[in-house]
Amino acid sequence: MSVVLWAATGALFTGAVSLVLGLCILRQLAIRLTRVEQCVFGFLIGNAALSLVVFLFTAAYLAYAPVFVSFGLLTIVFTFIRRRSSPKVACSICVLPKLWAVLLCFRYAKLYLCRALGPEYSPDGTTYHLALVARYLREHHFPLITTNFYASFPEALEMLFLFAFSIGRHSAAASTHLLFLFATAAALVGFGLRFNVAKAGTAAAVLFFMCPIVGFDASVSYVDVAEACACFAVFYALQIWWQDNNDRVLVVAGIMAGFAGAIKYPGFIAIPFALGVVLWEVRKHRGRWKRCAPLVLLPAIFLVAPWLIKNAIEVGNPVSPFANRFFSNPFVHVSFEEDYRRQLAHWNDVTWPEVPLEVTVRGARLQGVLGPLFVLSPLALLGIRLPICRQVLLTGLVFGLPYPGNLGTRFLIPVLPFLTLAMSITLSYWRSALPAVLLFNNLVCEPSALEKYVSPYAMRLERQRWDETLRERAEPEILATRIEAYSMARFIDQNLPENTRIFDLGDGMPAAYMRQARDGYFEGALNERMRVNIWSGLFKDYQPTWRHTFNFKLRRLLSIRVRQTARSNAIWTIAELRLFHNGQELIPQPDWQLNARPFPWDVALAFDRNPVTSWRAWERARPGMFVEARFHRPSEVDRVSIDGPRDQEDMRLVVEGEDVTGNLVTLSSEAMAEDIPLPYGWKRMIGKQLKLNGYTHFVISKSGGGYNDIRDHPAEWGMTLAAERGNQILCELQ
Amino acid sequence: MIYGIFGFWRILSAFCLVALFLRVAGQASNQSITADEAFNYNNFLRSSLGNVFTAHYDANNHVLQTALCWLSIHVFGVTELSLRIPSLVGSILYFYTVFQLASIRFNRSFLHLVATLALASNPYLLDFFTVARGYGLALAFLALAVLAAVRSVSCDEANHKLLFYAGLWSALSVASNLAFLFPAGGLQTALLLSLLRCSGQQRLGAVVLSFIDSAGGPFLLWSFLILVIPLLTARPDAFYFGAQRWHETLGSLVSGSFFHNLEIPLLSRWPASFWHLCAMITTTFAPVLSGLILVAALLLVFRPSSSGHSMPTLTGLTFSVTVALLWLAHVLAHVKLPIMRTGVYFLFLFPLALLSFLPCEKDSPAGHLGWAFLPIIVFLVLLYVPQANAKATVDWRYDAATKKFAETIEMIRRYTASPNIHVGGSWVFEPTLNFYRVTNHYDAWQPIVRHKSTDAADFYVLTNTDRDVVKTLNLRVLLDDPVSKSILAVPSQMVVGRGK
């Protein structure tokens, strides 16, 4: 029970501090808002501010629970004192939403609360959202993380999670996210009241509130509902600005746009949107844009910049893990980014015609459903008769632009407030349609109904489990039944020292419940290289058993370059590149200048005389790629041999050299191919590589290739079996 | 005095409708359960109300009707009559609507009675008010929708309330039986066209938007809300029942209407002439009349607006658009054409369209056509009325004596004190016999399963087409029902009274 109380306290304290901070900022801006709007914008602006404060504390090595609590208490006290003397902002309209709407939402609110306060076992929440938060709190700052690209995502909401987590642990973070659901619903109600679509606003709030994917997302430590809330607040603030003609509201819009971008990359679109709207509106007032544009742009940049700067410093790419072609860096491969984007854009091979039914009623392949009512979403278009609805639809369209990049149902959440509002406006013109629709949604969106028609694999809430929420059983026991890898994570947490570093070739682990560092096999460049190493012990295609030898007339050269001229889906790989003079190998010298394009950072691995390590281009093969060795003194070379795996059949290589006069000459384009054996103790060499790269342990799950081989013969890999839990094994590297 | 207020013919029409209701109610309470009703009960009504909506979709589940049946049997207990209460309510609604439509078109004239009988006394149509299937209720809602639509287009200005009811009733019609999607869609289209015709100076977009807000939108929304969850599990093969050619559609409706029990004076004495007449109607008269309805409706659509023409325009268009929608769905989406009960709405729309042209202006082409339709209407009435003494439905005639068979089997079982009996025979009796086994607590019966009719059993319930089994297995016939032509038989070596 105390866990629940602490969790609730953590979330409520975070919400309260945010609200107080936000109201304080709103008072400084002296904007005329309704009471509902004051609460909504106060809460959201405060969240943005608190998030920034927590970021600064963490960056300054001050991420301690007492620091956060002290700051929160001081903020509340300070604001309370100042409030007495500050002038009251006028409140124009305030009507409570109708009772029936509250009644319809009540059981859903109970359901969400039950889940949010319960043990946190959401996949992304335990794998990285809270795993990173827990690590920041443990280390009291932002550690340099280059082997987990999730750490490069904007983390404005995670900063709020950190604040709440420091008080009430995991469930406090999830409950903090839930506050944004209430805020979004309130924002929709407030919007309806202000713009004379009160019924539609209230109905939209209820529809949004009951939407299955929204309910699920808001009840766990994800970030999508917060992003949706911020996006809608941008639109809302811009509408108020347009209606009241008060430029100070633009600051609110800017803060919201920045907050949206700082929560999640797709939220970045809020910034150009806000700027675009402002510039469009002031186009007829010469020079006004000079005053308005900074008002919206500066707060947005102020909120987003910390995350971009952090990434630029840590991983050399402000928008990591994306745009790696523009911001070349050794931490995320271009090939990974392309695969990742392709996977997100084609979840489970879903085609566009399948998307409408998948996101509304099926849910297995796109991870969750919006609910059957959204099959009728085209009806929203009928609302174009009203100017306000046209703007709502257009804005929804803008916030839907990133959706093709990730077809998951969750990624439609930022569009939902707009969609529900537009649908509700249309339905409000139809006699008795709104109550019918809300009642229908109330019946078909609850967990017991969803069980009947939604795929069991869809992300959705189960029925209320107050026994779990109240921890009638021990939390570890509950988590062990909920998370497949939890028992292994708990074993690691309890039995291994904190400086353990684990390479995870499994399906992911709930790192939020471990003190030890864990690197997933796809989460960074080094991780991918380690994965390829391990696979070379399991799959022939990855083994460097193919040698290409280029013989040519003895030449005295300043440098030698191997150029790839073909276009292929394969990734050009060189395990070893050797140079010969009259049959004698030229041993690579430390003063040789090695270079490669692309991915020059690993080029030394092609010359290290260790066949386990290899240089890979980490991009699909294309003409112009090369590997080069520049000698300190001119050297005579008459043969080049290249060892690599057998998947290089499509490559076309040309050996070129720079002669002593500085001319680049083609030495050979004809290679002799031959098979070569693997060195003895190959698997042990792989294990050694893992160890050399700083890993102490290795986890693999049944679903990963090689599970049986490693479990049955760990010694061959230079490991010892440390534990077997569920479908995973843990090995210690020798 | 009463004659003065209501008119003689209207009072007579009302009496006829009351008599028809009593006939329908009587048949509904006495008639044995039918296979489709029993199937529905066994599969959808024995668990929670939610199951009606979430069970795997079957075309037999007429969702709204099934839900109302669920409520009815949970209030009144499980009997044949309680299952059929929603259909009986549907019959009241339908008769009321018919009376109102006849009153709108014919006021107090003699034609009021003719119209009432033409629309309400078709014996095949009445069948569906006596069984717990969605056809009757759907027809009643469709008729209400037509009534609301007729009233709304008759007004000088668009009456949004009536338009809403036209949409709502259409939606409930579709929710009661999915086969009514086509006539309901046809009605909505016809309503839109009629509104556009009467729009005057209003902009096209405004009229369309007004129609969507008042009728089209609610129609779509309510149909969606009731049917979306059940239809989520629907597969194309669930809609297997239908015809490939229009000839089959017409033939099934004509024979169902005229051959209900072949007791029509004169014609029944010359069956060959009767069949020739049926064939002529199927192949020639009905298609020609349908074409004429379309022509007349189009003539009215393109004439200057007149409130007197709103009903023939609307009904003529509804009929024509329904046919067109069916044809398009058949050609483009390979949806089967309606056959027998799935086309029952034509038994309402077709005579209604014919009737609505009768009082058109005498000098107009549509008016001339209208008077040409009168003999046909009178002829229909003359064919319908003598068949009012129906003892069974056409579609489930084989089930007319199933209740009697079940009671007889149980009586014999008790008499012989058999602890366990196996009832077999024709597979079509599986749902009905299971229904009586469950509802009458015939616990000594093994659950009835679909076997070959020749498989070994203690009792055989056989259809007319399976009579050969009696010879094949050397059975002893206990009951031979003259209406259903079904028989109850037992193995010849069975000794009645052995247990005692």
Side-chain angles (χ1 to χ4, degrees):
Chain A
M1 189 66 185
S2 64
V3 179
V4 180
L5 285 178
W6 277 114
T9 307
L12 289 175
F13 185 64
T14 308
V17 173
S18 298
L19 186 62
V20 163
L21 259 178
L23 288 174
C24 189
I25 294 168
L26 275 180
R27 212 166 33 247
Q28 296 299 320
L29 291 170
I31 301 166
R32 188 181 162 83
L33 297 173
T34 67
R35 197 169 297 163
V36 176
E37 287 166 352
Q38 277 187 336
C39 291
V40 169
F41 285 112
F43 174 76
L44 290 175
I45 292 172
N47 272 313
L50 183 61
S51 167
L52 192 62
V53 168
V54 175
F55 174 89
L56 294 173
F57 277 138
T58 311
Y61 286 68
L62 286 171
Y64 292 91
V67 173
F68 294 146
V69 174
S70 308
F71 172 79
L73 290 173
L74 281 173
T75 305
I76 291 170
V77 171
F78 176 74
T79 313
F80 183 73
I81 294 166
R82 282 210 53 189
R83 189 178 171 78
R84 287 182 170 177
S85 55
S86 67
K88 211 172 183 179
V89 178
C91 169
S92 52
I93 0 163
C94 179
V95 183
L96 274 176
K98 287 188 176 171
L99 191 64
W100 54 262
V102 176
L103 283 175
L104 279 174
C105 290
F106 180 73
R107 65 175 172 165
Y108 284 84
K110 213 171 102 189
L111 173 73
Y112 301 157
L113 206 60
C114 174
R115 178 69 178 87
L117 290 172
E120 169 63 358
Y121 49 81
S122 63
D124 289 5
T126 55
T127 313
Y128 66 93
H129 286 301
L130 290 188
L132 292 167
V133 163
R135 189 164 172 193
Y136 299 158
L137 188 66
R138 212 165 41 239
E139 301 191 18
H140 312 299
H141 71 111
F142 292 115
L144 178 65
I145 301 174
T146 57
T147 52
N148 184 351
F149 68 82
Y150 292 122
S152 305
F153 285 152
E155 293 178 312
L157 195 66
E158 279 85 345
M159 292 300 99
L160 297 174
F161 289 172
L162 177 56
F163 191 89
F165 186 92
S166 68
I167 300 166
R169 314 301 292 174
H170 304 76
S171 306
S175 304
T176 301
H177 191 211
L178 184 59
L179 295 176
F180 284 88
L181 176 58
F182 289 96
T184 316
L188 284 162
V189 172
F191 185 89
L193 290 171
R194 178 179 277 268
F195 295 101
N196 299 322
V197 283
K199 269 189 193 172
T202 309
V206 178
L207 288 179
F208 183 78
F209 196 86
M210 291 191 296
C211 179
I213 190 68
V214 171
F216 171 83
D217 195 285
S219 313
V220 297
S221 43
Y222 283 23
V223 300
D224 308 275
V225 174
E227 187 206 352
C229 188
C231 289
F232 185 74
V234 175
F235 170 70
Y236 192 174
L238 289 171
Q239 288 294 324
I240 295 173
W241 167 68
W242 187 74
Q243 190 186 53
D244 289 0
N245 204 20
N246 179 357
D247 288 348
R248 289 180 183 187
V249 186
L250 289 177
V251 178
V252 177
I255 292 173
M256 289 299 96
F259 190 43
I263 289 173
K264 202 168 180 172
Y265 278 136
F268 265 68
I269 201 163
I271 301 169
F273 166 75
L275 187 64
V277 169
V278 170
L279 293 180
W280 177 260
E281 289 298 335
V282 301
R283 68 189 185 282
K284 287 176 187 165
H285 305 87
R286 187 174 293 177
R288 194 179 167 199
W289 69 271
K290 288 178 189 166
R291 190 172 73 248
C292 291
L295 284 177
V296 75
L297 206 53
L298 288 178
I301 291 172
F302 194 59
L303 283 163
V304 162
W307 301 104
L308 303 182
I309 293 167
K310 172 180 168 279
N311 282 348
I313 293 169
E314 288 189 344
V315 292
N317 175 3
V319 288
S320 180
F322 302 107
N324 292 292
R325 276 190 198 278
F326 299 106
F327 303 103
S328 294
N329 66 86
F331 305 109
V332 179
H333 296 137
V334 170
S335 59
F336 163 76
E337 183 194 336
E338 286 173 352
D339 288 344
Y340 186 57
R341 290 162 73 139
R342 196 175 305 119
Q343 185 199 341
L344 295 179
H346 301 94
W347 272 103
N348 295 311
D349 298 324
V350 165
T351 58
W352 274 101
E354 292 171 317
V355 168
L357 279 183
E358 273 298 325
V359 300
T360 50
V361 289
R362 291 185 183 144
R365 293 162 73 192
L366 292 179
Q367 300 188 321
V369 293
L370 303 175
L373 188 70
F374 289 91
V375 173
L376 292 180
S377 27
L379 289 180
L381 293 174
L382 289 170
I384 52 173
R385 70 187 94 170
L386 281 187
I388 189 75
C389 197
R390 280 200 290 273
Q391 287 158 18
V392 167
L393 282 169
L394 203 62
T395 312
L397 194 68
V398 170
F399 286 113
L401 288 177
Y403 179 67
N406 189 334
L407 292 183
T409 310
R410 273 191 303 130
F411 286 74
L412 280 173
I413 292 177
V415 185
L416 277 188
F418 304 97
L419 188 60
T420 52
L421 191 58
M423 282 175 74
S424 300
I425 290 173
T426 299
L427 293 175
S428 66
Y429 281 86
W430 300 358
R431 186 186 283 250
S432 69
L434 279 180
V437 157
L438 296 183
L439 191 64
F440 169 81
N441 229 32
N442 187 274
L443 292 173
V444 301
C445 289
E446 70 155 9
S448 59
L450 289 173
E451 283 167 13
K452 305 275 186 185
Y453 63 89
V454 168
S455 162
Y457 304 107
M459 264 187 342
R460 60 188 165 82
L461 289 180
E462 295 173 15
R463 297 174 193 221
Q464 293 176 37
R465 290 292 303 268
W466 284 103
D467 59 327
E468 289 187 354
T469 304
L470 299 174
R471 275 62 168 191
E472 286 174 9
R473 286 182 294 150
E475 188 169 288
E477 200 184 316
I478 299 165
L479 290 170
T481 60
R482 294 291 186 175
I483 309 173
E484 207 165 12
Y486 179 76
S487 34
M488 178 59 82
R490 187 161 170 79
F491 173 84
I492 292 168
D493 187 52
Q494 290 185 328
N495 296 288
L496 300 184
E498 200 167 329
N499 62 356
T500 303
R501 196 162 163 226
I502 301 155
F503 185 75
D504 181 5
L505 198 65
D507 302 329
M509 294 183 83
Y513 294 101
M514 291 161 55
R515 290 168 298 126
Q516 296 76 4
R518 165 221 159 258
D519 291 339
Y521 63 88
F522 62 91
E523 291 168 3
L526 174 69
N527 320 27
E528 281 206 289
R529 188 149 61 78
M530 293 300 106
R531 183 198 63 191
V532 170
N533 276 354
I534 294 166
W535 282 1
S536 73
L538 298 165
F539 308 114
K540 280 198 162 38
D541 274 356
Y542 286 85
Q543 293 170 351
T545 55
W546 215 25
R547 174 169 294 168
H548 286 78
T549 307
F550 295 86
N551 291 303
F552 44 87
K553 199 176 146 190
L554 186 72
R555 299 290 288 259
R556 193 173 167 78
L557 301 169
L558 290 172
S559 71
I560 194 156
R561 168 186 288 196
V562 179
R563 194 157 54 84
Q564 200 287 122
T565 59
R567 198 171 286 279
S568 156
N569 278 333
I571 288 176
W572 188 25
T573 305
I574 298 177
E576 282 307 316
L577 194 153
R578 291 185 171 86
L579 309 177
F580 295 88
H581 170 224
N582 287 334
Q584 289 287 315
E585 184 182 346
L586 298 180
I587 303 301
Q589 298 300 311
D591 55 9
W592 286 10
Q593 288 176 14
L594 306 177
N595 192 16
R597 188 196 293 166
F599 214 75
W601 297 281
D602 283 351
V603 68
L605 300 176
F607 295 88
D608 66 352
R609 295 299 169 268
N610 182 352
V612 173
T613 60
S614 50
W615 170 86
R616 288 167 72 89
W618 296 112
E619 284 183 37
R620 316 249 170 264
R622 56 180 161 79
M625 292 176 161
F626 68 84
V627 169
E628 182 185 70
R630 181 167 290 278
F631 312 124
H632 186 62
R633 287 185 301 274
S635 300
E636 290 185 330
V637 182
D638 61 0
R639 193 202 307 170
V640 171
S641 81
I642 298 166
D643 298 347
R646 292 200 66 94
D647 67 350
Q648 306 286 298
E649 281 175 355
D650 294 341
M651 304 300 154
R652 294 289 170 267
L653 304 181
V654 177
V655 179
E656 297 167 338
E658 187 183 346
D659 63 18
V660 286
T661 59
N663 292 328
L664 197 65
V665 289
T666 300
L667 302 173
S668 173
S669 58
E670 295 296 320
M672 199 170 65
E674 62 178 322
D675 286 326
I676 55 169
L678 272 183
Y680 177 74
W682 179 252
K683 292 177 182 174
R684 183 176 288 274
M685 290 165 75
I686 293 167
K688 196 175 170 190
Q689 267 305 307
L690 277 172
K691 183 93 177 167
L692 283 172
N693 279 283
Y695 293 105
T696 58
H697 288 76
F698 170 75
V699 168
I700 186 168
S701 57
K702 253 181 199 166
S703 56
Y707 171 84
N708 289 331
D709 189 67
I710 294 171
R711 190 189 60 179
D712 298 341
H713 313 287
E716 284 183 14
W717 292 81
M719 306 174 186
T720 50
L721 195 63
E724 187 167 358
R725 294 284 185 282
N727 66 353
Q728 290 186 312
I729 52 170
L730 171 74
C731 297
E732 185 176 359
L733 294 161
Q734 297 298 310
Chain B
M1 175 79 179
I2 293 174
Y3 285 178
I5 296 170
F6 296 105
F8 173 75
W9 296 111
R10 277 170 37 125
I11 291 172
L12 200 56
S13 295
F15 272 119
C16 288
L17 290 173
V18 170
L20 283 172
F21 173 72
L22 292 175
R23 177 266 204 218
V24 163
Q27 191 179 340
S29 56
N30 295 323
Q31 189 170 266
S32 171
I33 203 82
T34 64
D36 285 14
E37 291 171 290
F39 180 88
N40 223 30
Y41 174 79
N42 296 333
N43 289 280
F44 302 108
L45 294 173
R46 285 171 67 183
S47 48
S48 67
L49 180 61
N51 186 53
V52 173
F53 296 91
T54 56
H56 191 83
Y57 183 76
D58 188 283
N60 205 60
N61 181 10
H62 302 159
V63 181
L64 182 59
Q65 161 80 23
T66 311
L68 292 173
C69 284
W70 188 94
L71 289 174
S72 177
I73 61 173
H74 281 79
V75 173
F76 301 109
V78 187
T79 62
E80 290 92 340
L81 182 62
S82 65
L83 269 170
R84 291 163 180 163
I85 284 174
S87 293
L88 285 175
V89 174
S91 74
I92 295 170
L93 294 176
Y94 182 73
F95 294 147
Y96 162 79
T97 312
V98 163
F99 186 84
Q100 292 295 334
L101 285 170
S103 299
I104 289 172
R105 202 60 190 144
F106 302 108
N107 206 354
R108 300 180 187 186
S109 73
F110 163 72
L111 287 174
H112 190 287
L113 178 65
V114 175
T116 303
L117 291 174
L119 292 172
S121 66
N122 183 324
Y124 188 49
L125 186 145
L126 293 177
D127 274 358
F128 299 103
F129 294 120
T130 69
V131 289
R133 309 296 300 119
Y135 303 98
L137 195 62
L139 191 63
F141 284 131
L142 179 69
L144 280 169
V146 170
L147 177 63
V150 165
R151 283 177 170 165
S152 67
V153 293
S154 303
C155 300
D156 292 335
E157 283 182 21
N159 184 323
H160 295 286
K161 190 176 171 186
L162 287 172
L163 283 172
F164 167 71
Y165 284 126
L168 179 67
W169 299 137
S170 298
L172 295 185
S173 174
V174 177
S176 300
N177 190 314
L178 201 56
F180 281 68
L181 180 64
F182 294 100
L187 173 63
Q188 294 300 312
T189 313
L191 185 54
L192 174 61
L193 292 173
S194 300
L195 289 172
L196 288 172
R197 177 175 165 265
C198 308
S199 59
Q201 300 299 315
Q202 275 187 292
R203 282 171 51 215
L204 184 78
V207 177
V208 173
L209 213 52
S210 165
F211 164 78
I212 291 173
D213 283 345
S214 306
F219 165 62
L220 175 73
L221 184 74
W222 284 94
S223 309
F224 176 86
L225 295 183
I226 299 173
L227 292 177
V228 63
I229 298 293
L231 285 175
L232 284 179
T233 50
R235 298 278 172 271
D237 56 5
F239 307 98
Y240 60 89
F241 190 65
Q244 291 296 344
R245 296 183 306 133
W246 281 106
H247 182 77
E248 294 169 48
T249 305
L250 290 172
S252 68
L253 295 171
V254 169
S255 65
S257 303
F258 300 159
F259 187 46
H260 201 275
N261 51 11
L262 201 58
E263 290 177 9
I264 301 165
L266 301 176
L267 277 177
S268 56
R269 292 190 187 175
W270 295 285
S273 310
F274 176 80
W275 284 115
H276 178 70
L277 182 68
C278 283
M280 286 296 288
I281 291 171
T282 305
T283 55
T284 311
F285 299 153
V288 168
L289 285 170
S290 303
L292 287 175
I293 290 171
L294 174 66
V295 170
L298 290 176
L299 281 173
L300 291 180
V301 166
F302 293 108
R303 272 173 64 99
S305 173
S306 160
S307 61
H309 289 156
S310 55
M311 184 170 171
T313 312
L314 184 79
T315 54
L317 281 175
T318 302
F319 176 80
S320 306
V321 175
T322 302
V323 173
L325 289 176
L326 282 165
W327 178 75
L328 283 173
H330 181 63
V331 171
L332 300 178
H334 307 292
V335 174
K336 290 194 172 170
L337 294 170
I339 191 166
M340 298 165 74
R341 51 189 175 271
T342 55
V344 69
Y345 44 80
F346 280 126
L347 302 181
F348 166 67
L349 292 179
F350 181 72
L352 180 67
L354 294 179
L355 283 162
S356 61
F357 284 103
L358 286 182
C360 279
E361 294 148 12
K362 284 176 187 171
D363 52 349
S364 74
H368 295 308
L369 270 177
W371 287 107
F373 292 156
L374 182 60
I376 298 158
I377 299 287
V378 174
F379 175 71
L380 287 179
V381 171
L382 289 176
L383 288 175
Y384 291 162
V385 173
Q387 302 184 83
N389 58 343
K391 297 181 182 69
T393 61
V394 168
D395 287 10
W396 301 281
R397 192 183 293 277
Y398 56 86
D399 268 326
T402 312
K403 184 179 184 182
K404 190 166 67 180
F405 290 166
E407 286 167 353
T408 307
I409 293 168
E410 178 62 9
M411 192 180 71
I412 295 170
R413 187 203 66 77
R414 282 191 186 161
Y415 186 71
T416 56
S418 303
N420 190 313
I421 60 161
H422 175 202
V423 182
S426 304
W427 67 267
V428 291
F429 294 107
E430 178 264 312
T432 38
L433 290 171
N434 268 326
F435 172 82
Y436 284 118
R437 181 181 66 82
V438 172
T439 54
N440 292 347
H441 304 288
Y442 297 157
D443 299 329
W445 294 26
Q446 289 176 22
I448 289 102
V449 287
R450 293 187 178 194
H451 279 310
K452 281 184 192 168
S453 52
T454 49
D455 285 355
D458 299 320
F459 294 88
Y460 291 84
V461 182
L462 297 162
T463 57
N464 193 30
T465 50
D466 281 339
R467 276 172 181 263
D468 292 348
V469 176
V470 174
K471 271 189 183 173
T472 311
L473 300 180
N474 193 22
L475 303 177
R476 182 146 55 102
V477 175
L478 297 182
L479 291 172
D480 190 345
D481 183 65
V483 176
S484 64
K485 311 280 189 221
S486 302
I487 53 175
L488 172 65
V490 290
S492 54
Q493 65 270 31
M494 182 183 180
V495 181
V496 177
R498 181 178 49 186
K500 294 280 180 183

